[in-house]
């Protein structure tokens, strides 16, 4: 049976840790699995490389950024393969283009289009352990791409799908928790979680899994086991909803401090204004998240929205141009915002969650700047200095004191 095992940056953060990871792989090989390893860059390396490029140019050409940041994974896989060979297990490292994992041309956040699996299958047949660089892709015309931050998760899920295998994600926490365990010590490990909830959590700041990897896993039913590379404990299984027995109104609390808020002040309130602003942002491939338009006064209104901090400089400069054209008074940017969310599939069929969330914030004197909801989440934008406090208070209200888990699908 095939198994894809992925190690995150901390798990390969030093030569000792690579050896520890290699021993995990060897255990699985001894159990009879045909293992494919996917490795991230060593902890901190991707950030270091990005900072080098930014030091030279605030908007470096994205093709060159990919050329640079993809090298972190190349170092890690070579060290990993050397370690496995030293321990007596023949291994061959492969870059994304050697697999190949073929993507579109959107540098730094490329989408996977195709994956060739034959070379990996041949290596496995010959008794080698393939060690694949996470995060890396290649276009049809041989340009190197990367799959977005945290993209090694996606590489692993894509390969698991191509091999019809399960996917083990080894990281520096014991699984997916009800909140980031670094912020909330009382957070609990979730034994099984649905793709839908995990996708929402990942999109709302729980960086333990990359959101796009969950989107892909959900589409192709790839089973994922998230666990710690520093223990042998069972972690969290991410599975189709029908295999997750428990349903709770609120499964987890998330915090996202990676967004900035941009406000266009005193824009004329007439048809076409929102279109001019958001069309310009869309043309620049900028993803806009929360949008708030105030009630107008004397024909003028304020329009606020959030974007990823990495896009904020560009978004601000685009919006300043549009604002001048449409006769807005000014553009204000705030980097000190945080989005806190409560997530749970059970919210679909429960009520009172929003009121309870607003009550917790009110009792802690935290002002809400924007709200957005979906069937399975409620998010509030607040001042970032209250972000961690809000997560702890919401966790306490919804999860520690909240209702006990309701078991459904009982037979
Ligand atoms: P890796 O380098 O292994 O890919 P990441 O740093 O990307 O690891 O993700 C793991 C981190 O995600 C943890 O160290 C933890 O602080 C953070 N995290 C945020 N929210 C959660 C959550 N709900 N459950 C578990 N970890 C979380
Ligand atoms: N090294 C890449 C990053 O830091 C990919 C990954 O770790 O998943 O985003
Ligand atoms: Mg990660």
């Amino acid at each position: 049976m095939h198994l894809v095992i992925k190690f995150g940056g901390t798990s390969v953060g030093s030569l000792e840790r690579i050896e520890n990871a290699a021993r995990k792989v060897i255990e699985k090989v001894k159990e009879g699995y045909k293992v494919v390893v996917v490795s991230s860059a060593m902890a901190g390396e991707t950030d270091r490389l990005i900072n080098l490029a930014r030091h030279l140019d605030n908007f470096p050409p994205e093709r060159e950024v990919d050329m640079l940041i993809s090298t972190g994974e190349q170092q890690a896989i070579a060290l990993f393969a050397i370690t496995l060979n030293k321990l007596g297990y023949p291994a061959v490292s492969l870059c994304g283009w050697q697999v190949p994992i073929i993507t579109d041309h959107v540098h730094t956040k490329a989408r996977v289009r195709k994956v060739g699996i034959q070379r990996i299958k041949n290596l496995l047949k010959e008794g080698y352990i393939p060690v694949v660089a996470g995060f890396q892709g290649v276009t049809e015309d041989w340009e190197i791409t990367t799959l977005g931050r945290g993209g090694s998760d996606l590489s692993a899920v894509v390969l698991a799908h191509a091999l019809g295998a399960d996917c083990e994600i080894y990281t520096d926490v014991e699984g997916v928790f009800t909140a980031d365990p670094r912020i909330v010590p009382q957070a609990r490990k979730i034994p099984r979680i649905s793709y839908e909830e995990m996708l929402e959590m990942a999109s709302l700041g729980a960086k333990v899994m990359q959101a796009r990897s969950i989107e892909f896993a959900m589409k192709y039913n790839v089973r994922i086991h998230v666990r710690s590379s520093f223990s042998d404990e069972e972690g969290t299984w991410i599975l189709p909803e029908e295999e997750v027995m428990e349903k709770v109104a609120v499964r987890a609390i998330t915090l996202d401090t990676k967004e900035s808020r941009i406000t266009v002040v005193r824009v004329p309130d007439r048809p076409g204004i929102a279109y001019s602003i958001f069309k310009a942002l869309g043309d620049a491939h900028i993803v806009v998240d929360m949008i708030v338009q105030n009630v107008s006064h004397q024909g003028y209104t304020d329009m606020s929205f959030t974007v990823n901090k990495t896009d904020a400089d560009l978004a601000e400069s685009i919006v300043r141009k549009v604002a001048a054209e449409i006769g807005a008074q000014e553009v204000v940017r705030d980097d000190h915002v945080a989005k806190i969310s409560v997530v749970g599939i059970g919210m679909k069929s429960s009520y009172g969650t929003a009121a309870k969330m607003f009550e917790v914030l009110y009792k802690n004197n935290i002002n809400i700047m924007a709200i957005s909801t979906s069937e399975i989440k409620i998010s509030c934008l607040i001042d970032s200095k209250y972000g961690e406090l809000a997560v702890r208070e919401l966790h306490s209200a919804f999860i520690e004191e909240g209702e006990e888990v309701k078991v459904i699908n009982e037979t």
Side-chain angles (χ1 to χ4, degrees):
M1 236 196 343
H2 292 117
L3 181 65
V4 174
I5 303 187
K6 176 256 172 179
F7 293 97
T10 317
S11 310
V12 294
S14 66
L15 295 183
E16 292 73 38
R17 287 187 172 181
I18 292 178
E19 181 159 336
N20 173 61
R23 291 193 189 279
K24 295 253 178 218
V25 171
I26 291 168
E27 272 170 41
K28 291 293 176 185
V29 171
K30 284 186 179 157
E31 284 173 30
Y33 286 102
K34 288 190 176 303
V35 177
V36 176
V37 178
V38 174
S39 181
S40 292
M42 293 170 85
E45 184 63 9
T46 312
D47 285 337
R48 189 183 73 85
L49 294 168
I50 290 175
N51 287 336
L52 283 178
R54 289 251 167 83
H55 200 76
L56 292 171
D57 180 351
N58 209 16
F59 297 115
E62 292 192 319
R63 178 190 182 277
E64 306 309 328
V65 171
D66 275 351
M67 193 63 98
L68 180 67
I69 64 180
S70 58
T71 61
E73 271 69 13
Q74 185 166 343
Q75 296 170 23
I77 54 169
L79 294 169
F80 208 114
I82 291 169
T83 307
L84 281 169
N85 280 295
K86 184 192 77 176
L87 296 173
Y89 287 77
V92 173
S93 61
L94 297 173
C95 283
W97 64 268
Q98 290 172 304
V99 174
I101 292 173
I102 298 170
T103 70
D104 63 17
H105 283 79
V106 184
H107 283 290
T108 76
K109 39 193 165 210
R111 289 200 168 264
V112 176
R113 292 277 179 249
K114 268 191 253 170
V115 52
I117 204 65
Q118 204 50 48
R119 184 160 182 191
I120 284 182
K121 282 190 171 161
N122 291 346
L123 284 169
L124 288 169
K125 216 176 280 166
E126 291 160 22
Y128 291 99
I129 302 172
V131 183
V132 178
F135 192 44
Q136 299 184 351
V138 66
T139 64
E140 299 265 15
D141 49 0
W142 301 106
E143 296 289 350
I144 288 176
T145 53
T146 60
L147 310 180
R149 295 308 305 268
S152 298
D153 295 333
L154 178 59
S155 314
V157 173
V158 164
L159 291 175
H161 165 60
L163 289 162
D166 283 355
C167 183
E168 286 201 337
I169 302 282
Y170 281 89
T171 182
D172 56 5
V173 283
E174 293 215 333
V176 179
F177 283 68
T178 49
D180 186 340
R182 293 183 204 286
I183 298 174
V184 185
Q186 293 85 354
R188 304 176 193 150
K189 184 163 75 188
I190 304 168
R192 290 164 157 241
I193 188 169
S194 64
Y195 293 127
E196 219 179 337
E197 281 174 318
M198 189 67 235
L199 177 57
E200 202 75 62
M201 280 176 73
S203 314
L204 294 170
K207 90 178 215 265
V208 60
M209 287 299 295
Q210 189 211 30
R212 284 165 69 180
S213 72
I214 303 299
E215 224 165 43
F216 190 97
M218 179 153 94
K219 189 161 170 198
Y220 296 104
N221 270 317
V222 180
R223 298 163 66 89
I224 301 174
H225 186 188
V226 182
R227 57 195 310 189
S228 166
S229 52
F230 307 112
S231 86
D232 290 326
E233 293 289 306
E234 273 277 298
T236 299
W237 280 94
I238 308 171
L239 301 163
E241 192 184 333
E242 53 284 5
E243 289 184 51
V244 178
M245 302 293 281
E246 305 157 345
K247 251 194 196 176
V248 288
V250 174
R251 174 79 68 195
I253 316 292
T254 62
L255 170 67
D256 188 348
T257 51
K258 292 214 169 72
E259 291 189 351
S260 294
R261 178 174 66 148
I262 295 177
T263 305
V264 193
V265 181
R266 246 180 98 79
V267 278
D269 192 10
R270 56 163 200 263
I273 291 293
Y275 171 71
S276 339
I277 296 173
F278 295 108
K279 166 84 167 67
L281 293 167
D283 286 348
H285 297 272
I286 294 173
V287 178
V288 175
D289 183 24
M290 298 171 117
I291 301 176
V292 177
Q293 182 181 332
N294 291 344
V295 175
S296 67
H297 289 288
Q298 287 132 14
Y300 289 91
T301 182
D302 292 348
M303 177 100 75
S304 288
F305 59 91
T306 61
V307 293
N308 210 299
K309 278 201 173 88
T310 52
D311 288 332
D313 283 346
L314 185 58
E316 186 184 348
S317 70
I318 290 171
V319 171
R320 281 195 187 284
K321 259 188 237 134
V322 180
E325 284 160 24
I326 59 181
Q329 188 181 326
E330 61 172 334
V331 174
V332 180
R333 159 153 161 207
D334 185 356
D335 288 335
H336 303 285
V337 293
K339 185 170 61 171
I340 42 155
S341 312
V342 299
V343 179
I345 238 170
M347 249 188 244
K348 280 185 190 173
S349 52
S350 63
Y351 55 87
T353 312
K356 187 163 165 182
M357 182 176 190
F358 302 154
E359 183 189 6
V360 171
L361 296 176
Y362 151 65
K363 288 203 165 143
N364 285 280
N365 230 344
I366 300 171
N367 192 35
I368 302 171
M369 302 170 181
I371 300 167
S372 71
T373 63
S374 79
E375 267 195 316
I376 66 165
K377 69 115 197 241
I378 303 168
S379 302
C380 293
L381 196 71
I382 61 171
D383 186 327
S384 61
K385 70 172 179 259
Y386 301 120
E388 297 200 354
L389 170 73
V391 173
R392 279 193 286 269
E393 292 293 327
L394 290 167
H395 190 272
S396 159
F398 279 105
I399 291 165
E400 289 155 53
E401 293 158 24
E403 78 218 274
E404 268 308 298
V405 165
K406 285 182 273 177
V407 180
I408 60 144
N409 299 341
E410 277 179 311
T411 48

